[in-house]
Amino acid sequence: MRIVTSIPDMHRIADAERAAGKRIGFVPTMGFLHAGHMSLLHAARARCSTVVMSIFVNPIQFGPAEDFARYPRDEARDLAMAEEHGCDIVFLPSREDMYPDGFETSVDLNRSTIPLEGESRPGHFRGVATVVAKLFNIVKPHMAVFGQKDAQQAIVIRRMTRDLNMDVEIVVAPIVREPDGLAMSSRNAYLSTEERTEALAISRSLRLAESMCAGGIRDPQRIADTVGDAIRSSGRVSVEYARLVDAETFEDAPAMAGDRPALLVVAARVGSTRLIDNTILSWKDTI
Ligand code: PAF
């Protein structure tokens, strides 16, 4: 596995891989890797001959009161895991190279920044879209893999590639969960043992919504309210939002939405840790 830290070196390597007829698959991450990230690597490996993973904790996607400074980092462990799981190249840029003095340009979004995560975390998607656009320009991938856990992020990135005519295929890989249902996330490292147990209320509430949907309930508000109440009643987890939205547009899902799958999205705080999770509810399959 090659470790690349300079942007010009990464450009040269990407050009050489492309010239050799290789298909480059890309997994952008902020490190502190877990099995969810490994599933993204495997998805890239299944589709591509060269797999590149970036590890970069992107300062511009964190708000001033968010966890940039304490975001968990363990480079040695990350590199060992990436190698063990067949990554070919790890790109590890520095903050100074990514955002040198005088950095001015960003990728902005309109409608998709408004609801849910965009509302709760102003500027977050501008930061994500900007760094992903930069990484695409540096790594020059044919395809890139994102996790369904950050469902809105995946939609924002897909929208960006379409709107800006980027020739990168976006693949979204399913959420990977711990055996007890907790969605894997680097931020789970913040949870105490007690908080981790309380956090299970989130995935449990998603299963509840799935069974309501399978039982024929089609009222988005009722499902979302039941989910919110189930999380709140289980302990000290506070719900930031629990909403049923159209899986493509992130607008509120209409009742009896027909063919289009709806996405149940939840953001909640357990102690000082903010967690997000979601599940796709397919009305059609369950009618
Ligand atoms: O999902 C993440 O880890 C980050 O938002 C990403 C896509 C690597 C951009 O910094």
Side-chain angles (χ1 to χ4, degrees):
M1 185 177 78
R2 276 183 285 182
I3 298 168
V4 180
T5 54
S6 108
I7 293 173
D9 284 352
M10 190 64 241
H11 272 304
R12 269 192 295 278
I13 291 169
D15 287 342
E17 294 293 306
R18 280 181 164 256
K22 300 286 181 62
R23 183 171 162 79
I24 303 177
F26 179 42
V27 180
T29 80
M30 298 205 298
F32 211 69
L33 303 177
H34 50 68
H37 295 112
M38 296 307 105
S39 77
L40 308 183
L41 266 187
H42 297 155
R45 170 56 71 212
R47 293 165 175 83
C48 295
S49 39
T50 299
V51 175
V52 182
M53 172 180 267
S54 63
I55 300 177
F56 178 64
V57 186
N58 175 35
I60 67 166
Q61 70 186 69
F62 291 79
E66 293 186 13
D67 56 343
F68 174 69
R70 69 172 189 134
Y71 195 83
R73 294 160 168 89
D74 189 341
E75 194 175 294
R77 184 174 146 276
D78 286 349
L79 293 175
M81 274 180 88
E83 181 152 39
E84 192 189 324
H85 287 263
C87 183
D88 298 308
I89 299 166
V90 174
F91 177 52
L92 275 177
S94 69
R95 178 179 180 157
E96 295 67 37
D97 284 349
M98 289 296 276
Y99 300 113
D101 285 348
F103 181 85
E104 280 284 356
T105 309
S106 58
V107 177
D108 221 334
L109 301 105
N110 300 324
R111 195 162 45 85
S112 12
T113 57
I114 297 164
L116 304 166
E117 286 302 278
E119 224 163 49
S120 298
R121 305 182 68 188
H124 171 65
F125 286 129
R126 185 188 310 118
V128 170
T130 301
V131 80
V132 171
K134 285 168 69 66
L135 290 167
F136 282 179
N137 285 334
I138 297 166
V139 173
K140 308 181 188 189
H142 295 86
M143 62 85 77
V145 194
F146 293 83
Q148 171 65 23
K149 193 176 87 57
D150 296 303
Q152 204 175 356
Q153 167 172 280
I155 298 285
V156 161
I157 299 299
R158 189 170 271 149
R159 184 79 259 162
M160 174 183 79
T161 58
R162 283 186 197 148
D163 288 351
L164 301 184
N165 307 101
M166 295 173 166
D167 192 14
V168 183
E169 181 197 351
I170 303 301
V171 169
V172 180
I175 297 178
V176 178
R177 297 184 180 279
E178 303 281 1
D180 58 12
L182 186 69
M184 291 210 179
S185 163
S186 305
R187 289 191 168 96
N188 292 349
Y190 298 146
L191 300 171
S192 67
T193 313
E194 194 183 66
E195 288 172 338
R196 197 193 167 291
T197 305
E198 289 175 356
L200 294 177
I202 301 169
S203 52
R204 261 201 317 269
S205 76
L206 300 183
R207 303 291 83 77
L208 175 63
E210 286 162 3
S211 60
M212 286 175 82
C213 184
I217 295 170
R218 294 286 177 275
D219 178 348
Q221 194 60 50
R222 182 170 161 206
I223 295 176
D225 288 348
T226 306
V227 163
D229 291 345
I231 299 174
R232 272 182 221 103
S233 67
S234 70
R236 288 187 295 139
V237 183
S238 66
V239 179
E240 213 169 272
Y241 61 73
R243 290 255 290 277
L244 206 57
V245 295
D246 183 287
E248 280 291 310
T249 63
F250 272 81
E251 279 159 10
D252 281 331
M256 298 299 290
D259 282 1
R260 289 170 74 83
L263 192 67
L264 175 62
V265 281
V266 173
R269 273 184 197 278
V270 189
S272 60
T273 305
R274 186 174 186 276
L275 299 174
I276 57 172
D277 202 347
N278 67 77
T279 188
I280 296 171
L281 300 179
S282 173
W283 306 125
K284 193 179 172 213
D285 290 348
T286 56
I287 288 172

